[in-house]
Amino acid sequence: MSAEDLPFNRPASPQSSTSQPIADSLSTDGGESGEYHGPHSPSHFPSLVLAGICSATTPFLLLGDILDCLPLDQCDKIFSFVEENVSTWKSNSFYTAGKNYLLRMCNDLLRRLSKSQNTVFCGRIQLFLARLFPLSEKSGLNLQSQFNLDNITVFNKNEQESTLGQRPTEEKEDGMEVEEGEMGDEEPGAPAPCSIPIDYNLYRKFWTLQDYFRNPVQCYEKFSWITFLKYSDETLAVFKSFKLDDMQASKRKLEELRTAGGDHVYFAKFLTSEKLMDLQLSDSNFRRHILLQYLVLFQYLKGQVKFKSSSCILNDDQCSWMEETTKLVYQLLKEIPPDGDKFATMVEHVLNTEENWNSWKNEGCPSFVKDRDELTRLWNLNHDNMAACQSESREFMPSLEDFFEEAIEQADPANMVENEYKVVHNSNYGWRALRLLSRRSPHFFQPTNQQFKSLADYLESMVIKLAKELPDLPSEEIKTGEEDDEDNSDTLLKESNDSPSMQNKLVSNQQMDEIAAKLGAQWKTLAGQLEIKAAEIREIETDSEDVDMQAKLLLVAWQDREGTQATVESLVTALNAAGFPKIADILNET
């Protein structure tokens, strides 16, 4: 059975009356245009649904049946109606009921179409689906970065059957008819034949690269990478040595394509005939396509892809070669007429944008629609925001008891509230708590030696203090293992007046000067024991070139970080661990 024997490719019988209301009327009543505006026209579907005459799924079922029974040329016209009403299908009345039907209908059409012969129609369907579904719709995404491994480029792999490098044994006679695909008399203004000596090795290496573009994971394998690098260098060397300099001829060709009466048709598959190799190397679009493949491949190899295997890692030599080759590819793109500079700039911009999409996929494809934040909610509470701000009801200040009651209850270990669910970790609550404490609590302005890593830690300490002071609140049950700031201050003051022990004694400025002078250029050895980060070490080296000053800055950075924990005992332990026992003894004596 041939394609013409299928039901949807046979014209409707004139005697048939069953399909006349919809299918036949679409092709006969509208004349050559295929348009139909009778009572069964698809354009009436939305109004029938909105009027309650039929369900929301009825239009999609009818459209699916119509497209199934019509030939492809008329499906093209019907699909124009589907495209034009994409905003209708996205409305609340149709989207939920019809999105699966539309997806199934488009997939059925794509299965009937040829990717090489109906390229434009296939593209229209893909664009329609992209417009129909939101960007965050995961069903249309290649989340796992899978490749189309079935897209195999077929070429002659048998050197014995190659015709490259062979001269024709017989000259063409005058008047001999030239077959389709053979070279006849050259037209005036046509580009000159390729001057590169093309042999079978160049032909084989050139088309072998397509297998790496098809499956980039091969590049992470050692021997495959060596082959890819060798073939790429030879291919790009050919592109570099043979440049397309005939700018005027390329512009004339471009203008001819723009002003041609018929549609410009192209095919998605490569033509790998050996006879076409010289013509392909002379074609600007072909060169751009190959060079663009390199850039896309490099972006995948260097990019951070969530589903990449842990073994897919490039070494420094591979990264260096790709950086150099990327610069060469962009330079070759700029040299290809016409408008090489503009094309290269556009490609670079598109690939940079693609990096954002990759990051979005790696993050799990979060929705682009942001939830309303607290400020938006407050802004929409009243139609006149200025009058709402001036309202007398806003002039109030809660008491400490009322505001911190929930926080104090959550601080009680008996309630077993996890830290992440405590109100003190809410940034909005923390901001209001600071404002209230500044107006009503004396603890807010009281100096303290205690250091806090976050606002939540500070508020927890304030909650403990308030629980001890405020009446009718369970303060005795709250135990944190930390003393009150006032007690800490008194303890430190008392220890400073009495003879302090080495365990609690802080390192003085004079002691740091003496230690820095003893350390000198060896201060980096101590930095590791003091857990100073590499970035801080580089900053210290930048701030001063004097080694004694660098050692002093190291100790100052350690003291700033540790605060009250920067004791003599801690520094002595670090010095001994770093291999400076004599300096540690000097510190003990002082």
Side-chain angles (χ1 to χ4, degrees):
M1 179 181 291
S2 63
E4 289 77 14
D5 295 328
L6 296 174
F8 50 78
N9 280 334
R10 292 200 303 269
S13 172
Q15 290 80 12
S16 174
S17 61
T18 57
S19 59
Q20 181 66 28
I22 297 179
D24 286 352
S25 60
L26 286 170
S27 58
T28 58
D29 192 52
E32 297 180 356
S33 65
E35 297 178 356
Y36 175 71
H37 301 285
H40 302 287
S41 170
S43 60
H44 293 284
F45 289 161
S47 57
L48 293 176
V49 174
L50 296 177
I53 298 176
C54 63
S55 65
T57 59
T58 302
F60 307 108
L61 292 172
L62 291 175
L63 283 172
D65 292 341
I66 291 172
L67 293 174
D68 284 342
C69 67
L70 288 180
L72 291 177
D73 58 340
Q74 294 192 21
C75 287
D76 192 334
K77 300 170 184 176
I78 294 296
F79 192 76
S80 298
F81 162 77
V82 179
E83 287 178 303
E84 294 169 358
N85 289 274
V86 64
S87 58
T88 302
W89 312 137
K90 293 174 66 175
S91 63
N92 295 333
S93 303
F94 291 94
Y95 182 74
T96 303
K99 62 178 183 179
N100 292 332
Y101 290 98
L102 288 172
L103 180 61
R104 188 181 303 113
M105 178 184 70
C106 291
N107 288 333
D108 291 341
L109 268 178
L110 288 173
R111 279 190 286 268
R112 291 173 58 187
L113 295 172
S114 169
K115 293 183 179 179
S116 59
Q117 300 295 332
N118 306 107
T119 310
V120 176
F121 197 0
C122 291
R124 287 171 55 197
I125 295 175
Q126 297 287 1
L127 288 174
F128 167 75
L129 291 175
R131 295 170 59 195
L132 175 66
F133 291 99
L135 289 174
S136 56
E137 177 63 41
K138 296 184 180 181
S139 62
L141 298 175
N142 183 12
L143 291 176
Q144 299 184 4
S145 299
Q146 296 176 342
F147 304 101
N148 182 17
L149 300 180
D150 295 331
N151 184 24
I152 300 176
T153 301
V154 181
F155 62 95
N156 179 23
K157 298 182 180 180
N158 188 355
E159 187 175 3
Q160 304 299 326
E161 299 177 1
S162 175
T163 60
L164 287 171
Q166 299 178 5
R167 292 187 176 182
T169 56
E170 298 181 0
E171 298 289 340
K172 293 184 179 180
E173 299 179 358
D174 294 339
M176 181 178 179
E177 185 175 336
V178 179
E179 296 182 1
E180 184 179 357
E182 295 184 356
M183 295 297 296
D185 295 336
E186 295 183 358
E187 298 180 1
C194 178
S195 60
I196 302 177
I198 301 175
D199 56 7
Y200 176 77
N201 284 331
L202 176 60
Y203 168 83
R204 177 179 60 86
K205 294 175 181 178
F206 180 85
W207 289 115
T208 300
L209 289 172
Q210 290 301 318
D211 194 55
Y212 293 92
F213 298 142
R214 177 183 68 95
N215 185 15
V217 180
Q218 299 178 82
C219 294
Y220 293 108
E221 301 172 3
K222 180 179 179 181
F223 295 104
S224 298
W225 171 262
I226 294 174
T227 304
F228 171 73
L229 187 147
K230 178 181 177 183
Y231 290 3
S232 296
D233 286 341
E234 294 184 19
T235 299
L236 294 175
V238 171
F239 281 25
K240 187 176 180 181
S241 61
F242 178 64
K243 299 180 180 180
L244 304 180
D245 297 327
D246 191 0
M247 179 72 72
Q248 297 301 324
S250 299
K251 286 187 175 180
R252 285 198 301 271
K253 182 179 179 181
L254 186 63
E255 290 299 327
E256 290 175 2
L257 291 176
R258 290 174 177 172
T259 57
D263 294 335
H264 177 53
V265 180
Y266 64 94
F267 300 98
K269 294 293 291 183
F270 286 118
L271 301 177
T272 58
S273 172
E274 296 176 351
K275 299 179 180 179
L276 299 175
M277 190 72 180
D278 57 344
L279 296 177
Q280 288 171 327
L281 292 178
S282 304
D283 185 82
S284 59
N285 288 330
F286 181 82
R287 284 200 176 198
R288 284 174 172 173
H289 193 101
I290 299 299
L291 294 174
L292 184 56
Q293 283 182 308
Y294 272 105
L295 296 177
V296 174
L297 172 66
F298 292 163
Q299 186 177 51
Y300 171 79
L301 295 178
K302 296 185 297 184
Q304 299 295 329
V305 180
K306 185 177 181 180
F307 292 94
K308 265 188 185 179
S309 172
S310 58
S311 59
C312 296
I313 301 176
L314 299 173
N315 56 40
D316 294 339
D317 293 337
Q318 290 173 321
C319 294
S320 177
W321 180 85
M322 282 198 301
E323 289 180 4
E324 295 176 0
T325 307
T326 300
K327 296 178 182 177
L328 174 60
V329 169
Y330 275 115
Q331 183 60 36
L332 292 174
L333 284 174
K334 293 177 181 180
E335 294 173 354
I336 297 176
D339 301 326
D341 289 332
K342 292 182 180 179
F343 182 83
T345 303
M346 179 189 66
V347 168
E348 186 175 9
H349 173 73
V350 171
L351 292 179
N352 288 336
T353 304
E354 188 68 16
E355 287 290 347
N356 298 329
W357 288 110
N358 291 336
S359 301
W360 175 69
K361 286 168 56 176
N362 290 336
E363 294 169 1
C365 307
S367 175
F368 289 95
V369 180
K370 294 183 178 179
D371 297 332
R372 290 199 315 169
D373 56 14
E374 186 68 14
L375 187 60
T376 303
R377 186 188 69 83
L378 293 174
W379 188 263
N380 295 319
L381 285 178
N382 197 299
H383 66 279
D384 189 350
N385 291 300
M386 186 57 66
C389 292
Q390 296 174 349
S391 173
E392 295 182 357
S393 61
R394 291 181 53 84
E395 297 182 5
F396 71 95
M397 183 185 301
S399 63
L400 291 174
E401 294 89 340
D402 295 338
F403 187 82
F404 285 99
E405 181 179 2
E406 182 181 3
I408 293 174
E409 290 179 357
Q410 293 177 348
D412 188 354
N415 295 327
M416 294 185 294
V417 179
E418 298 180 7
N419 285 335
E420 58 181 318
Y421 299 111
K422 292 182 178 179
V423 292
V424 293
H425 289 270
N426 185 307
S427 58
N428 188 8
Y429 180 90
W431 177 71
R432 291 187 296 158
L434 289 178
R435 295 188 60 187
L436 183 61
L437 288 171
S438 66
R439 299 289 298 274
R440 291 186 179 260
S441 175
H443 297 294
F444 185 80
F445 298 101
Q446 185 175 3
T448 177
N449 292 322
Q450 191 175 357
Q451 292 186 347
F452 303 99
K453 295 182 179 180
S454 64
L455 174 61
D457 293 341
Y458 171 76
L459 290 178
E460 285 183 352
S461 68
M462 297 299 293
V463 166
I464 296 172
K465 293 178 182 180
L466 293 174
K468 296 178 180 179
E469 296 177 355
L470 297 178
D472 301 329
L473 290 177
S475 61
E476 296 299 330
E477 299 179 0
I478 302 177
K479 304 294 181 182
T480 63
E482 297 182 0
E483 295 295 329
D484 189 69
D485 283 349
E486 294 180 359
D487 297 336
N488 288 338
S489 302
D490 294 341
T491 302
L492 290 174
L493 182 60
K494 181 178 180 181
E495 289 179 350
S496 63
N497 293 332
D498 301 336
S499 58
S501 64
M502 186 180 67
Q503 181 179 1
N504 297 322
K505 185 178 181 181
L506 299 177
V507 180
S508 66
N509 191 38
Q510 181 181 356
Q511 289 173 324
M512 286 195 295
D513 290 336
E514 294 176 359
I515 296 172
K518 296 291 184 181
L519 286 174
Q522 296 178 307
W523 63 271
K524 290 185 182 179
T525 306
L526 179 62
Q529 298 299 326
L530 297 180
E531 299 181 356
I532 301 298
K533 297 180 180 179
E536 293 178 299
I537 294 177
R538 290 193 296 269
E539 186 177 350
I540 290 173
E541 292 176 326
T542 305
D543 291 342
S544 177
E545 296 181 356
D546 182 63
V547 292
D548 292 345
M549 180 56 66
Q550 291 175 350
K552 176 65 179 295
L553 292 174
L554 169 70
L555 296 173
V556 170
W558 167 74
Q559 188 183 54
D560 291 343
R561 188 193 66 197
E562 296 296 326
T564 57
Q565 302 300 320
T567 61
V568 172
E569 182 185 30
S570 300
L571 186 55
V572 167
T573 303
L575 287 169
N576 286 322
F580 301 111
K582 294 182 179 180
I583 302 178
D585 293 340
I586 296 174
L587 183 60
N588 283 328
E589 295 175 358
T590 57

